[in-house]
């Protein structure tokens, strides 16, 4: 099946710093990518939908200036958590949709803000 | 908005038993997907369904896209310890960039 990679898998940073997470579709092109956040023992919460070459669409309650998304190519989307605070600590998962409308997920990034 | 009701929330079964879980929707979907998530990992796609009535198998897993397009089930036969995890259903309506709607997951525990 299709593979989506995510980097880094785990990051620990100090409060106030910015963290960039990369998401790549390795063997297919994805015009649409998605970023999710997941809290322990809960389902995935969609943060934003990212289209190649255009601005991301953010879900209600998600600050676009806080969570910067760039979808520079058909295989790469990045999420930058700016001025991270402890409450931003979470499990962030990206997903990419192929031409058959099937969504594949990356392995996730565990962010811990001290 | 669209909601998915996934049941059961959790299951404890003996190794070798069959498992069944399902999702129902308040609205019609064009795509149903079933994922499994292990702790600390991203969801892994198990089965994708694209047509009403479609019945698809993947090894010991079988899933069906309900005729009404408002429900789907996933069956696991002869469960083994590595089946432990959280299973999510997800559905989507074809309309621009509408995202997947997820169920809340079924946590499966297998007792050896």
């Amino acid at each position: 099946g299709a593979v989506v990679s995510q980097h880094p898998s785990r990051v620990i940073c100090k409060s106030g710093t910015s963290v960039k997470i990369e998401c790549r579709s390795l063997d297919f092109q994805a015009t649409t990518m998605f970023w999710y956040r997941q809290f322990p023992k809960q389902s995935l919460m969609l943060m934003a939908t990212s289209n190649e070459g255009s601005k991301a669409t953010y879900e209600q309650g998600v600050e676009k200036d806080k969570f910067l998304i760039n979808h520079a190519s058909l295989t790469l989307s990045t999420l930058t958590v700016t001025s991270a605070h402890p409450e931003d600590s979470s499990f962030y998962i990206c997903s990419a949709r192929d031409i058959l409308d099937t969504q594949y997920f990356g392995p996730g990034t565990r962010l811990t803000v001290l | 908005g669209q909601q998915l009701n996934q049941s059961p929330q959790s299951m404890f079964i003996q190794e070798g038993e069959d498992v069944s879980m399902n999702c129902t929707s308040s609205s019609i979907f064009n795509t149903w997907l079933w994922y499994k998530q292990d702790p600390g990992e991203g969801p892994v796609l198990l089965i994708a369904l694209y047509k009403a009535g479609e019945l698809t198998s993947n090894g010991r897993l079988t899933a069906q896209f309900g005729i009404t397009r408002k429900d789907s089930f996933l069956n696991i036969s002869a469960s083994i310890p590595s089946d432990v995890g959280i299973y999510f259903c997800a559905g989507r309506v074809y309309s621009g960039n509408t995202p997947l709607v997820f169920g809340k997951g079924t946590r499966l525990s297998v007792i050896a």
Side-chain angles (χ1 to χ4, degrees):
Chain A
V3 178
V4 176
S5 71
Q6 208 171 319
H7 178 79
S9 59
R10 186 179 297 267
V11 57
I12 301 173
C13 69
K14 292 183 179 180
S15 186
T17 60
S18 294
V19 175
K20 179 186 281 189
I21 303 170
E22 287 189 353
C23 177
R24 294 180 185 272
S25 56
L26 297 185
D27 50 1
F28 67 100
Q29 293 184 331
T31 53
T32 306
M33 288 185 169
F34 305 86
W35 287 95
Y36 294 83
R37 184 173 179 176
Q38 187 177 36
F39 294 102
K41 298 187 178 181
Q42 293 190 22
S43 188
L44 293 88
M45 184 187 78
L46 179 67
M47 298 175 66
T49 300
S50 166
N51 288 300
E52 185 263 338
S54 62
K55 290 183 179 180
T57 302
Y58 290 81
E59 295 299 299
Q60 194 171 12
V62 178
E63 299 176 56
K64 62 179 182 180
D65 295 329
K66 172 84 175 166
F67 299 99
L68 299 178
I69 293 173
N70 185 293
H71 194 154
S73 75
L74 289 173
T75 60
L76 173 64
S77 177
T78 60
L79 168 69
T80 301
V81 183
T82 62
S83 187
H85 287 94
E87 58 265 31
D88 298 324
S89 299
S90 191
F91 192 51
Y92 292 88
I93 311 173
C94 73
S95 177
R97 179 186 289 164
D98 70 7
I99 60 171
L100 295 179
D101 199 47
T102 304
Q103 249 178 262
Y104 299 92
F105 286 84
T109 296
R110 172 75 57 192
L111 171 63
T112 303
V113 184
L114 302 176
Chain B
Q2 296 170 329
Q3 290 187 340
L4 281 185
N5 294 311
Q6 185 171 350
S7 65
Q9 278 188 310
S10 62
M11 303 179 73
F12 289 83
I13 62 168
Q14 292 280 346
E15 183 178 358
E17 288 184 354
D18 296 343
V19 174
S20 184
M21 59 192 78
N22 70 84
C23 277
T24 58
S25 167
S26 58
S27 52
I28 291 173
F29 286 124
N30 298 110
T31 304
W32 281 96
L33 303 168
W34 285 92
Y35 295 88
K36 181 189 179 211
Q37 187 176 25
D38 291 326
E41 300 288 334
V44 174
L45 180 66
L46 299 175
I47 293 179
L49 302 162
Y50 304 103
K51 292 182 183 178
E54 182 179 355
L55 182 71
T56 298
S57 293
N58 177 6
R60 293 178 295 106
L61 278 62
T62 302
Q64 183 157 34
F65 192 144
I67 290 290
T68 64
R69 292 163 64 192
K70 290 185 177 183
D71 63 308
S72 177
F73 71 74
L74 174 71
N75 288 341
I76 305 173
S77 62
S79 59
I80 59 178
S82 62
D83 290 334
V84 166
I86 303 177
Y87 293 79
F88 291 101
C89 64
R92 192 173 103 85
V93 176
Y94 292 154
S95 178
N97 275 327
T98 52
L100 284 176
V101 178
F102 280 88
K104 295 191 175 184
T106 296
R107 185 178 296 272
L108 178 64
S109 300
V110 179
I111 303 168

